[in-house]
Amino acid sequence: MGKILITGVTGHLGRIVLDKLLTKVPASGVKVLVRDEAKAAPFRQLGVEVAIGSYDDKASLIAAFKDVDKLYFVSGSDTAARGRQHENVVNAAVEAKVGHVVYTSFQRKNETSTSSIYFIASTHLLTENLLKSSGLKYTILKHGIYTEMIPIFVGDKIFETGVIFQPGGEGRTAYALRSDLAEAAVAVLTGQGHENKSYELTGPEAVSYAEIAAKISAITGKNVSYVSPTPEVFTAELTKAGVPSEYIGLFAGFSVANKEGEFASVSSDLEKLIGRKGGSVEAYLQQVYGGK
């Protein structure tokens, strides 16, 4: 039997998957992909095989994927280059005869170019279609928005301003913890019967920014309210504050998508894979803001 290869191990999600996988599978059965030899040492110390390769270099991927039975394919972070990079990964997996590819996609409702996050969605849709037409066995994990993104979306000045300022309207999001998503991935990588299936992995409830503000207020005893400006006002205010335009566009896109209900659907797939409900937003906020 071939090895399980984990990509993205120098990032948050991939490393959590690796650590959880090593509680289930001997290190000798695991391989990781890293771009830079300088980052390989910590993984070699774990006893796993290290392959040096990049999504930009198809030949390096073919070599890395040799004798790989299951590939955990973390989507690339370079949105401009991601389509080409993902084609390299899928084509390399075909050439290397990888047994099963598990891909990290994301939850969405609108799959057309009218979506406010189509600039993100388009490459995920491309990759899913490439996998489905490749002849490879695949599992698509449609991740909900990470719960860990909440402090980034609400900003680090909420106790100075007393306001969460996002154009999200009354929209709700079924946030999911990275650790729960990683646990689900390990369940797929070490289990059976997941071939050619898609799972929507969300948290157990969908919450609004107004509810998040109320929860933070209750936890800290400090009054935090929620203001939902128009995207135009949001952009103008963040531009005035010196926030780089690419971040403004990203935040605005996700907030408008939130308003449009892109991430509101709650699925039981995560609970079925990990055997319990996912962690709650309230417990996470208590952990983050409890000492504030």
Side-chain angles (χ1 to χ4, degrees):
M1 181 175 173
K3 294 191 177 188
I4 299 174
L5 188 148
I6 308 297
T7 70
V9 288
T10 57
H12 294 294
L13 178 64
R15 182 56 196 257
I16 300 171
V17 170
L18 174 62
D19 290 343
K20 288 182 179 293
L21 182 64
L22 289 176
T23 69
K24 305 279 187 183
V25 174
S28 59
V30 178
K31 186 189 285 194
V32 299
L33 181 74
V34 297
R35 287 192 301 266
D36 188 348
E37 178 64 43
K39 296 182 178 179
F43 302 105
R44 291 201 171 98
Q45 289 170 7
L46 294 173
V48 303
E49 182 180 349
V50 178
I52 308 300
S54 163
Y55 288 0
D56 290 307
D57 182 355
K58 181 183 166 186
S60 73
L61 296 175
I62 294 170
F65 295 166
K66 184 181 178 184
D67 299 324
V68 167
D69 182 48
K70 294 182 179 179
L71 167 65
Y72 183 68
F73 172 14
V74 177
S75 59
S77 57
D78 184 344
T79 54
R82 186 158 61 183
R84 174 179 47 78
Q85 290 176 337
H86 285 194
E87 286 190 61
N88 284 341
V89 175
V90 174
N91 290 336
V94 171
E95 291 192 38
K97 296 181 171 58
V98 170
H100 183 182
V101 178
V102 179
Y103 174 62
T104 65
S105 190
F106 87 125
Q107 181 188 23
R108 73 275 176 172
K109 182 178 70 174
N110 182 357
E111 296 189 341
T112 75
S113 59
T114 62
S115 167
S116 58
I117 48 166
Y118 193 69
F119 65 104
I120 297 290
S122 58
T123 48
H124 285 300
L125 294 169
L126 168 69
T127 308
E128 290 182 21
N129 289 330
L130 286 171
L131 285 168
K132 289 174 182 178
S133 63
S134 68
L136 293 162
K137 293 176 183 175
Y138 64 85
T139 305
I140 295 166
L141 305 180
K142 297 178 181 178
H143 288 176
I145 302 300
Y146 297 150
T147 312
E148 291 87 349
M149 290 298 295
I150 293 174
I152 297 171
F153 287 142
V154 305
D156 58 2
K157 299 193 186 313
I158 54 170
F159 300 120
E160 295 174 31
T161 64
V163 171
I164 294 174
F165 189 73
Q166 285 283 350
E170 298 177 4
R172 308 171 82 83
T173 294
Y175 295 99
L177 289 166
R178 277 196 190 98
S179 58
D180 289 341
L181 296 172
E183 192 172 331
V186 171
V188 171
L189 290 166
T190 59
Q192 295 183 354
H194 304 294
E195 294 85 355
N196 303 337
K197 292 183 178 179
S198 296
Y199 297 116
E200 188 167 342
L201 304 182
T202 75
E205 61 176 341
V207 299
S208 66
Y209 276 122
E211 289 169 326
I212 289 171
K215 290 177 190 296
I216 294 174
S217 296
I219 289 166
T220 63
K222 300 174 182 177
N223 187 47
V224 176
S225 61
Y226 168 54
V227 173
S228 179
T230 65
E232 293 76 18
V233 169
F234 177 78
T235 299
E237 289 298 316
L238 266 65
T239 300
K240 195 187 304 180
V243 178
S245 60
E246 60 268 27
Y247 289 114
I248 297 173
L250 188 67
F251 291 157
F254 273 95
S255 262
V256 172
N258 175 69
K259 183 178 182 178
E260 294 169 347
E262 288 289 329
F263 317 121
S265 174
V266 175
S267 167
S268 62
D269 288 350
L270 179 65
E271 183 177 353
K272 289 174 183 175
L273 286 172
I274 67 177
R276 58 172 175 81
K277 286 189 178 297
S280 71
V281 166
E282 187 159 359
Y284 174 77
L285 294 176
Q286 179 67 52
Q287 177 186 333
V288 173
Y289 297 107
K292 301 293 185 182

